[in-house]
Amino acid sequence: MAYDNDNIFAKILRGEIPAQKIYEDEYALAFPDINPQAPVHVLIIPKGQYISAADFGAYASPQEITGFYRALSAVAKKMNIEESGYRIICNAGPDSHQLVPHFHAHILGGQKMGHLLATTG
Ligand code: 5GP
């Protein structure tokens, strides 16, 4: 599957769709999810063109992977959920229900997160 240059997050990276920048460096950009599922719900995306967690893990450079994880930590700190805790979710492939085909991590916090998976839905 080829990377789709017209996906929503590619447009956010190019500045064609607005997003509030919570964090940005040479490797990653973080912005609030438009449909938050928790008091803190931030999306973190790499600047490189990777479709999914699987694609990123297989093909991103060590610098890109390190940069991405450093960005995750920086966002947790900036959102004041480092101490209280948070959940990171990355989807890959059809069973995961990934909707946007540009790799992203959801960072969720600000409340007790409950069990790992919902039983339905
Ligand atoms: P996925 O299901 O692909 O892991 O999650 C994609 C996420 O992107 C969803 O939680 C959805 O609310 C969010 N999203 C979709 N379109 C936009 C948008 O235009 N702006 C922002 N900030 N988030 C979006």
Side-chain angles (χ1 to χ4, degrees):
M1 183 177 153
Y3 180 83
D4 172 12
N5 250 314
D6 285 330
N7 76 75
I8 291 163
F9 295 167
K11 290 181 177 176
I12 287 175
L13 274 174
R14 291 196 296 268
E16 294 167 12
I17 291 178
Q20 179 204 333
K21 288 181 185 174
I22 289 176
Y23 176 89
E24 183 172 23
D25 64 20
E26 66 181 297
Y27 298 111
L29 173 68
F31 49 89
D33 195 292
I34 204 168
N35 183 22
Q37 304 296 307
V40 175
H41 187 173
V42 178
L43 298 168
I44 306 171
I45 64 175
K47 290 200 169 171
Q49 297 185 339
Y50 299 100
I51 297 169
S52 67
D55 190 27
F56 187 70
Y59 299 110
S61 70
Q63 291 83 358
E64 288 175 303
I65 292 171
T66 302
F68 188 75
Y69 276 92
R70 295 249 193 274
L72 280 173
S73 299
V75 168
K77 194 169 191 151
K78 190 160 186 181
M79 300 306 291
N80 291 315
I81 54 172
E82 200 178 32
E83 296 295 323
S84 53
Y86 52 91
R87 178 170 293 158
I88 296 168
I89 298 173
C90 300
N91 291 318
D95 280 356
S96 74
H97 202 261
Q98 180 180 358
L99 295 175
V100 180
H102 180 111
F103 172 50
H104 51 280
H106 299 254
I107 184 163
L108 297 135
Q111 67 176 41
K112 298 278 183 208
M113 298 307 301
H115 294 289
L116 186 58
L117 295 178
T119 49
T120 59

